[in-house]
Amino acid sequence: IALERTITRADFDGWIAADVAAIETALDRALSEAKVAPEAIEVELHLPFAGRTIICRIDAVFRRGDRWQVVDWKTGRAPRDAAELRRRELQLALYRLAWANRVGVAPADVDVAFFFVADELVVVPERVLDEAELLRRWTAAVGTGTTGR
């Protein structure tokens, strides 16, 4: 597989909880099985959202025909149940919105997935929050981000 750049140990800075060699091996295997090179790796996007700026560090983005796929690598194990997966999906919904804004497409044209390195398992949520649902869930958890002054 031809990458735009080589994945290096520096790419794994945030992944210190796992063994770097094992991660490199799993990622090499996953990328080779994907049969397509990522369009972007480790992209930092700033998403204005709910009166705040959310920093989204997207691990990998693939182009699949006229659609995009954002993949978030996780060094831990896959979720044990649907409730745990739902808690993690908020991050994917934010990443999807950030990538859609960057490339100028509707969020519905961006697919998302987790890749759990320890299990070498891709998990695609059955459903991803749309922007209105994301905003409702976000404000219920953290508020609007405005001071009211």
Side-chain angles (χ1 to χ4, degrees), residues 63 66-70 93-112 128-131:
R63 185 76 187 245
D66 61 347
R67 300 187 62 76
W68 295 94
Q69 182 182 43
V70 170
L94 288 166
Y95 285 10
R96 177 175 82 161
L97 184 58
W99 187 258
N101 287 346
R102 177 172 184 184
V103 297
V105 301
D109 293 331
V110 179
D111 300 317
V112 293
V128 181
L129 300 174
D130 66 26
E131 189 170 358

Side-chain angles (χ1 to χ4, degrees), residues 113-126:
F114 288 116
F115 176 67
F116 291 92
V117 176
D119 297 323
E120 293 190 38
L121 177 67
V122 175
V123 175
V124 177
E126 289 181 21

Side-chain angles (χ1 to χ4, degrees), residues 76-98:
R77 299 273 176 204
R80 293 172 299 235
D81 56 35
E84 186 178 346
L85 179 59
R86 276 193 305 279
R87 285 191 299 275
R88 294 180 181 206
E89 289 172 354
L90 181 67
Q91 179 184 14
L92 286 181
L94 288 166
Y95 285 10
R96 177 175 82 161
L97 184 58

Side-chain angles (χ1 to χ4, degrees), residues 4-47:
E4 299 231 352
R5 67 179 179 81
T6 303
I7 297 174
T8 66
R9 289 189 188 276
D11 293 316
F12 302 107
D13 285 347
W15 303 346
I16 57 175
D19 177 55
V20 172
I23 291 171
E24 288 174 338
T25 300
L27 291 176
D28 285 346
R29 197 169 24 254
L31 288 173
S32 114
E33 289 174 10
K35 295 184 174 82
V36 61
E39 292 281 326
I41 296 174
E42 291 291 327
V43 178
E44 183 175 294
L45 300 177
H46 295 227
L47 175 66

